[in-house]
Amino acid sequence: MFRYILLDCLHSMNAERTISGVFHLLRGKKSSQTFQDAKVYGIDRYYGIYPGLKRETVINILEKLEKDQAIQRVDESRVAVTEIGRGELNSHVETLHFSGMEYSEAVNEFQDRLLLWIQVLSNAVHHKEYYLPVVDGAAVQQWAKKLYIKEKKRLGYEGERLFHELIRILAGLSEMEKDLFVRRLTGGGDTGWTYDQLAESWAIPISDVPLYLKNTHYYLFFEAVKNPSSSLHKLTGDLVKKESLTASSKKSIRLFDEFQSLEEVAELRGLKTSTIEDHLVEAVLVDPERPIDAFIGESELEEIREVVQTIDTKRLKVIHDELDGRYSYFQLRMVLAKLQKG
Amino acid sequence: MKSPADLEATLEEYFGFSTFREGQKEVIMNVLDDKDSLAILPTGSGKSLCYQFPSLVKSGLTIVVSPLISLMIDQVKQMKSRGMKRVAALHSFLTTEERRRIFQHLNKYDLLYISPEMLLMPRMREALKNVSVSLFVVDEAHCISQWGHEFRTDYLKLGLVMKELEDPPLLAVSATATPQVQEDILFQLGRSQAEKIIYPMDKPNIQLSMSKVESEAEKLAFLKRYLQKQQAPTMIYFSSRQTAEKVCYELKRDSLGKIGFYHGGMEAVDRQLVQQQFMKNELDIICCTSAFGMGIDKPDIRLVIHYHLPPRIESFIQEIGRAGRDGGECTSLLLYAPGDERLPRMFIDSELPTDEQIEGFVFKTEALESTPSLEACVTLELSESQYNFMRYQVETANINGINDVSKLKRSMKQMKRKREKKKLTHLERMLEVLHTTGCRRKELYRHFQSFVQPARYICCDRCDASVFEVTYQLQRKRTVAAPWQERLRALLVPDGSYEK
C-alpha cells in the first residue's frame, strides 16, 4: 500500500517537487509549502496519514521502484513516474478511505481512543483491575477515564454491543485488514501485536502495516460519524474536521479584508510581509472561490492560466520565466491556489 | 508512627508483597524516623519501594528527583496500575496544560517525580514554598557524581533547593556507587553526616560467563548454538538498534523461540506491546538496547546476554541485575569479538568535544560576548553532550572570573582530557573483567566492595567452565492464534452473551 501511495504522490507531483515534499506531506508537516503542495497537486487526502514515516523507508521503496523501472530519476532529488509506473497505479485495487487534510488529527486521536477503550472494556469484562494502558498520553487517558466513569454500570453490555457493531462494520474491509485490526488490540489476557509481528503474519512489508491500520481507522471513523446511535460514535463525538486555517492565518485574512494592504497587516501584526502572503495564499487554497482581484486582474489571470496549461507545470520558477518575470511569485502562487487541481 | 506489623499490612495492600526484600525495611524505618540516608541497594532489590512506601504513610509531599524521564513515566504508570493514584511526574515532555494541572494540585499528591531541570525553575520553586515537603529523594544518585559535572549540571544545585524547602529529610538512592562516589554524592548535597545503608551489589544467584570469539559471524553462530539449548525468559542487550533487529530476525529464522525486539526508535504503542508481551511470557527472548529494562520488574528472567560490550561495569552490573529477581538460578553471558571495544570508544569520543570544537566554541563566545546557543554552533557539529560540557565550562569560568581566553581554552582542554580519561577508565574496567584470568566475580565487584558473597550456583566460567553447559527449560504453553472473529469475541464477550 505504501508503494502505491508513494507512486501516486510522485505521479501527481509530476516531478515538480522533491522527494522530501512527499515525505513532509505524508508525515503531515505543518508548513505552508506542504499545505500548498497537497492542494495544488490534489493529494491532500494523503496529508498526515503516516506520522511515523522514516526517511529510510521512503528511500528503500524508491530504490525498489527504480529497480522495477516504475520511476525514473530526473535529478538528485526528483523522480518521474514511467509508463510501467502508471500501469502499476492503474492496476491498484485496494479501497482507500483517507481524508488526511481534513481529518488526520481527528483520526489519529480516534485510533488511540479505540485502542485504549477496547483495552478498558476488555479488562473490565475480564475483571482485570490493574494493568498498564497500551496508549500513553495524558489527554487520551483522561478521556478514557471519563467515559469509563460514565459507562461503569454497563461495561459488559457495552462490550457486547461494540463486538457486534465491529463485526458488522468490519465486513466492509478485506480479510487481511480485519485481521490486522483485531490482532493489534490488547485486552484481557491477550497482548496486541506489533507492526513487525503483524507484517510477519501476513508476509507484507512492515511499512504497509501502519497504513492498513490507518486506512481501517478512517473507514471506522466515518462509519461512526455517520451513525450517531452507534457505540463507536461515543469515540468520535467531539472529534471534528480540522480548522482549515490556523488562528494566525485567520487574523491576517481578517485584517487584510479590512485594510486591503499587505504592508499594513504585516506592520499591525509585527510579522514579515512574506508570512502575510502565505496566509493569504492559504485562504485561497481553502476557499478557491475567494476573489483575488486585489492582486491580479482578470486578463492577467487568464494569461497565467494558459501558460500553466500549455506547459503543464506547477513549478513557479518555470512559470515565472515563461512569463518573462512579469508577475511576482506571490501573484503566481495566488493563481495556482485559485486554479487548484485540474 | 506505625508499628512494623502495620508496615507489612500496608505493603500487602498497595504492593502485593507479604514481606520486604533485603534492605527495604531498614531504609524505610530510617526514612520514617526522618533521618537522612544514603541507600545503596542492588538492582532488582526494589529501590523505588524505599520511597514509594513512605510517601503513602507520611503526610506531606515526597519529591523524587530522577534523571530519566522514561524512568519517571514508567514508575508513575506502575504505581497507578497498582491503584496508587496520587502520584505524578513533572518533566519537559509534558504539554503546558498537563504541567499546569500538576502545578495546581501540588498539595494533593503523595509523591511527585521531577527532573532536576524542572525542579530548578523559579516558578516551581515558588510553588513548592506553599507545600509541605516531607521527604526529598534523589534517585539514581550516582548521577550527581558520575554525570553531574557534565550534562546534568543542575544536579549540583539540589543542595540549594533543599535549603529553600527548609531542609526536609533526604534519601539518596543508587544501585551503583563506589565508596568514592558515595562520599561525593553526600558532599554535593551538603549532607555528609547522612547514614549510609549499603548492601552488597553482587548477586549470589547469578552465574557469570564470558566468551571470546574470533569474528562477528562466529558470535552469531555461538549465540544460536547457545540458545538452542535454552527455553526461558531471556534478554539480549545490543548497543545498536540495527543489530538488535538484525539478530532478532536471524534468531527467528532459526526458530529459536518467540522473539521480539525493542529499542527507542520504535513507535510508542509498539514499544508498549513488546514490553507487555515479554512481561506476560508471550515472548521468550527480547533483543533490545539499553532503552529496555528501565523500571521493568520481571521476576523470572533467567538469562541476560550481552551481544556487545557495555561501556562501563556500572551499566553491566545494572543490566545483569535484571536476571533472577525471584532469587532463582540465572546466568549472564557476554560475547566478545576482537574490535568490540571500538563502539564504546566512539561513543566516548562523541560525548566530549575535540580540541578544535573547544577553540571554535570559545571563539564564538568571545564574538557574541555570551554563551552561544546550540543552534548558533551548527558549524561545529556538536552533539548535545559536547555542547553541554562546554557551556558548563564557560559558565563556571565566568563565575570564577576567568577572563583570559587562552587560559580558558587551556583549562577546558584539560578538563576534557580528565573526563575522557575517567570514561576510558570505566571501559578499561569492563575490559579487565573480560580479560582477567582470575575469578570474574571478584574482578567485577572489587571496585565497589571488599568481598563477594559465596555464589549459590556456579560462580563464573573462570572458576568452572561448565557454566556454558547450564540450560534452562521452562516449557510454555503456546496458543495458536485464533481467527479474528474469535479473538474479538474473546476480548469483548468472554463469557457469552449479556442480558440487555
Side-chain angles (χ1 to χ4, degrees):
Chain A
M1 180 180 267
F2 180 58
R3 184 177 158 118
Y4 167 77
I5 289 172
L6 188 60
L7 202 55
D8 195 19
C9 289
L10 293 170
H11 182 245
S12 303
M13 286 187 169
N14 195 19
E16 295 175 5
R17 286 271 164 262
T18 61
I19 312 282
S20 288
V22 186
F23 176 71
H24 292 318
L25 178 98
L26 294 173
R27 285 180 58 106
K29 187 179 178 188
K30 291 190 178 89
S31 80
S32 103
Q33 180 67 60
T34 306
F35 188 62
Q36 197 175 320
D37 282 353
K39 285 282 188 183
V40 167
Y41 292 104
I43 41 178
D44 49 340
R45 63 187 176 282
Y46 296 138
Y47 177 87
I49 62 167
Y50 205 155
L53 180 63
K54 294 187 177 122
R55 265 182 199 279
E56 302 94 82
T57 310
V58 179
I59 293 167
N60 213 323
I61 305 291
L62 282 175
E63 276 171 9
K64 289 201 182 102
L65 285 168
E66 205 177 351
K67 220 178 95 209
D68 298 342
Q69 299 176 335
I71 56 168
Q72 237 170 7
R73 296 257 158 198
V74 173
D75 60 32
E76 206 182 312
S77 54
R78 289 176 302 138
V79 300
V81 176
T82 63
E83 200 49 52
I84 296 176
R86 277 194 287 276
E88 188 176 328
L89 276 175
N90 290 332
S91 62
H92 183 83
V93 287
E94 281 161 336
T95 316
L96 302 184
H97 304 280
F98 299 119
S99 179
M101 184 58 87
E102 289 169 326
Y103 290 103
S104 59
E105 279 170 29
V107 173
N108 289 346
E109 184 70 21
F110 169 69
Q111 190 170 3
D112 280 351
R113 286 180 178 185
L114 186 54
L115 203 55
L116 187 58
W117 181 240
I118 288 181
Q119 187 187 20
V120 169
L121 274 184
S122 179
N123 284 337
V125 296
H126 283 88
H127 312 290
K128 252 187 90 174
E129 259 183 276
Y130 300 134
Y131 54 92
L132 292 170
V134 276
V135 187
D136 282 323
V140 62
Q141 290 183 4
Q142 209 66 36
W143 170 88
K145 203 164 152 185
K146 270 199 199 129
L147 187 56
Y148 174 80
I149 291 166
K150 210 173 125 210
E151 308 273 332
K152 210 172 171 178
K153 295 246 154 46
R154 43 189 214 134
L155 291 167
Y157 166 69
E158 274 305 314
E160 188 172 1
R161 193 156 97 94
L162 185 58
F163 168 73
H164 292 298
E165 193 174 309
L166 282 172
I167 291 280
R168 189 171 47 73
I169 303 178
L170 288 170
L173 296 166
S174 74
E175 225 21 54
M176 180 175 75
E177 283 172 314
K178 290 176 210 167
D179 189 75
L180 293 175
F181 170 74
V182 173
R183 302 244 169 257
R184 181 75 172 169
L185 304 171
T186 293
D190 220 356
T191 313
W193 287 7
T194 62
Y195 292 157
D196 178 61
Q197 292 162 341
L198 294 172
E200 195 182 301
S201 76
W202 280 91
I204 54 173
I206 184 170
S207 53
D208 279 0
V209 178
L211 281 175
Y212 278 118
L213 288 170
K214 193 67 83 189
N215 196 35
T216 300
H217 283 90
Y218 271 88
Y219 171 74
L220 294 175
F221 178 80
F222 292 127
E223 286 294 316
V225 170
K226 259 197 298 198
N227 188 353
S229 63
S230 67
S231 184
L232 281 177
H233 194 78
K234 290 200 252 314
L235 282 73
T236 61
D238 57 329
L239 298 177
V240 287
K241 198 160 155 176
K242 195 180 77 182
E243 280 286 326
S244 27
L245 292 166
T246 60
S248 178
S249 296
K250 273 191 191 156
K251 213 171 191 173
S252 302
I253 295 160
R254 194 171 45 76
L255 285 170
F256 180 83
D257 289 344
E258 193 177 334
F259 295 99
Q260 292 290 316
S261 153
L262 270 173
E263 289 72 24
E264 238 171 286
V265 178
E267 202 182 312
L268 275 169
R269 299 214 53 202
L271 295 169
K272 285 192 212 149
T273 328
S274 61
T275 308
I276 309 299
E277 288 179 356
D278 284 346
H279 291 165
L280 292 173
V281 172
E282 259 180 60
V284 182
L285 284 168
V286 168
D287 171 21
E289 297 302 312
R290 190 182 153 88
I292 59 168
D293 50 4
F295 311 102
I296 199 142
E298 190 58 39
S299 59
E300 295 159 307
L301 186 130
E302 269 317 305
E303 187 185 4
I304 300 172
R305 186 210 297 272
E306 248 165 61
V307 169
V308 171
Q309 275 162 3
T310 339
I311 59 174
D312 188 24
T313 186
K314 277 161 184 151
R315 292 183 73 188
L316 293 171
K317 175 99 177 57
V318 178
I319 303 169
H320 186 257
D321 292 352
E322 186 68 25
L323 290 159
D324 307 320
R326 277 180 287 123
Y327 300 101
S328 72
Y329 280 101
F330 172 54
Q331 287 174 311
L332 297 178
R333 283 170 66 203
M334 272 294 189
V335 174
L336 283 184
K338 182 104 185 141
L339 299 177
Q340 302 235 332
K341 173 77 180 164
Chain B
M1 182 69 227
K2 294 205 173 193
S3 76
D6 288 341
L7 293 185
E8 256 112 30
T10 312
L11 181 73
E12 177 91 53
E13 184 187 341
Y14 286 101
F15 298 91
F17 304 126
S18 54
T19 52
F20 289 95
R21 292 194 201 167
E22 189 183 22
Q24 283 176 338
K25 200 163 185 172
E26 193 186 346
V27 177
I28 289 169
M29 295 296 273
N30 235 24
V31 168
L32 293 179
D33 281 348
D34 287 341
K35 288 187 204 152
D36 291 339
S37 343
L38 167 69
I40 310 291
L41 297 170
T43 314
S45 58
K47 274 181 292 149
S48 47
L49 192 120
C50 294
Y51 52 77
Q52 287 172 353
F53 186 96
S55 79
L56 300 174
V57 179
K58 277 170 109 94
S59 62
L61 177 69
T62 293
I63 292 181
V64 181
V65 183
S66 177
L68 282 163
I69 294 175
S70 54
L71 194 79
M72 289 189 223
I73 297 173
D74 271 352
Q75 297 214 344
V76 169
K77 264 201 292 200
Q78 274 178 15
M79 286 182 79
K80 284 192 175 166
S81 78
R82 289 189 196 119
M84 294 169 271
K85 305 286 187 194
R86 290 198 302 257
V87 295
L90 198 50
H91 49 77
S92 52
F93 282 7
L94 297 180
T95 63
T96 325
E97 184 46 44
E98 291 167 338
R99 270 187 229 177
R100 187 163 39 225
R101 186 192 285 274
I102 297 176
F103 260 84
Q104 281 167 351
H105 298 99
L106 278 180
N107 271 313
K108 290 203 181 144
Y109 294 112
D110 289 330
L111 190 152
L112 177 72
Y113 284 95
I114 190 165
S115 62
E117 289 76 12
M118 200 59 93
L119 180 63
L120 282 161
M121 279 172 32
R123 246 189 68 191
M124 187 66 215
R125 283 151 77 170
E126 198 51 47
L128 279 174
K129 281 187 185 147
N130 303 316
V131 179
S132 126
V133 177
S134 56
L135 176 63
F136 191 89
V137 182
V138 182
D139 202 1
E140 309 291 333
H142 55 273
C143 291
I144 294 176
S145 170
Q146 196 180 54
W147 294 340
H149 298 290
E150 246 160 66
F151 37 80
R152 298 306 285 243
T153 48
D154 284 334
Y155 250 100
L156 299 177
K157 300 171 195 154
L158 292 182
L160 184 77
V161 177
M162 283 201 290
K163 281 217 178 68
E164 285 179 7
L165 297 174
E166 294 171 356
D167 288 314
L170 164 81
L171 171 64
V173 269
S174 173
T176 52
T178 60
Q180 183 198 358
V181 171
Q182 293 164 17
E183 292 301 326
D184 196 24
I185 292 170
L186 293 178
F187 174 76
Q188 299 288 359
L189 291 170
R191 301 279 174 106
S192 292
Q193 79 300 341
E195 186 173 339
K196 290 188 203 158
I197 305 168
I198 294 160
Y199 279 82
M201 295 171 53
D202 57 318
K203 291 170 75 100
N205 59 328
I206 199 162
Q207 326 181 70
L208 302 171
S209 59
M210 298 187 175
S211 179
K212 296 184 198 174
V213 295
E214 287 308 313
S215 67
E216 207 50 34
E218 209 181 294
K219 197 193 261 184
L220 185 59
F222 186 102
L223 181 65
K224 284 181 177 174
R225 274 201 310 278
Y226 188 81
L227 289 175
Q228 237 140 38
K229 298 176 292 181
Q230 315 289 352
Q231 194 175 8
T234 299
M235 297 177 74
I236 312 179
Y237 276 105
F238 297 83
S239 42
S240 93
R241 294 172 179 180
Q242 291 90 327
T243 324
E245 282 194 28
K246 207 190 82 199
V247 172
C248 176
Y249 289 123
E250 282 283 343
L251 300 179
K252 270 203 234 177
R253 218 178 50 193
D254 283 30
S255 311
L256 290 166
K258 290 286 274 176
I259 309 164
F261 59 82
Y262 182 106
H263 56 67
M266 286 160 62
E267 191 252 0
V269 173
D270 265 9
R271 269 184 286 161
Q272 197 61 49
L273 294 177
V274 176
Q275 189 176 317
Q276 294 194 13
Q277 289 172 357
F278 186 60
M279 297 297 281
K280 290 198 213 148
N281 293 320
E282 293 168 7
L283 285 177
D284 307 307
I285 303 176
I286 189 131
C287 298
C288 59
T289 61
S290 55
F292 188 78
M294 229 39 110
I296 285 173
D297 201 4
K298 183 171 167 59
D300 58 350
I301 297 170
R302 301 270 73 92
L303 269 165
V304 172
I305 300 174
H306 282 84
Y307 197 82
H308 291 129
L309 199 64
R312 47 156 49 99
I313 39 177
E314 280 91 341
S315 327
F316 181 69
I317 290 172
Q318 196 129 23
E319 284 161 6
I320 64 172
R322 306 220 156 92
R325 290 195 175 183
D326 54 8
E329 182 180 350
C330 57
T331 301
S332 147
L333 169 70
L334 181 140
L335 298 171
Y336 171 88
D340 274 3
E341 55 274 57
R342 268 201 306 264
L343 217 59
R345 283 230 167 90
M346 266 161 56
F347 189 65
I348 292 171
D349 283 344
S350 72
E351 281 186 325
L352 291 164
T354 61
D355 283 0
E356 291 72 37
Q357 285 171 328
I358 291 177
E359 299 270 344
F361 190 83
V362 174
F363 179 79
K364 274 208 184 344
T365 310
E366 272 267 274
L368 295 168
E369 292 181 358
S370 70
T371 323
S373 66
L374 183 55
E375 293 75 39
C377 301
V378 265
T379 48
L380 297 176
E381 296 183 2
L382 298 175
S383 71
E384 202 172 327
S385 57
Q386 288 169 334
Y387 170 77
N388 286 333
F389 173 86
M390 292 196 283
R391 191 193 60 186
Y392 181 66
Q393 295 297 327
V394 166
E395 280 170 3
T396 0
N398 278 340
I399 294 164
N400 296 336
I402 299 176
N403 299 317
D404 182 34
V405 176
S406 56
K407 201 166 153 195
L408 175 61
K409 285 187 205 161
R410 214 169 34 243
S411 89
M412 279 172 78
K413 287 179 194 169
Q414 250 169 24
M415 188 51 97
K416 177 201 78 168
R417 266 184 279 280
K418 212 169 121 190
R419 294 296 307 164
E420 200 169 51
K421 220 172 123 192
K422 185 131 200 206
K423 280 167 185 276
L424 286 172
T425 316
H426 285 298
L427 177 60
E428 212 45 58
R429 285 182 182 169
M430 194 62 232
L431 287 167
E432 278 167 14
V433 181
L434 174 72
H435 295 307
T436 184
T437 49
C439 171
R440 295 200 199 278
R441 189 174 289 264
K442 283 186 189 142
E443 183 61 39
L444 182 61
Y445 295 107
R446 76 182 170 93
H447 303 286
F448 301 93
Q449 55 201 58
S450 52
F451 63 94
V452 285
Q453 306 165 72
R456 214 171 289 153
Y457 304 95
I458 296 172
C459 174
C460 67
D461 61 289
R462 287 279 178 250
C463 294
D464 182 351
S466 70
V467 67
F468 292 112
E469 311 308 321
V470 172
T471 60
Y472 299 94
Q473 290 295 339
L474 296 145
Q475 292 303 329
R476 299 245 174 257
K477 255 199 265 161
R478 293 272 176 240
T479 43
V480 188
W484 67 267
Q485 299 94 327
E486 272 176 46
R487 185 165 196 269
L488 193 60
R489 182 181 284 281
L491 282 169
L492 293 170
V493 205
D495 320 312
S497 201
Y498 283 79
E499 284 299 314
K500 290 201 177 172

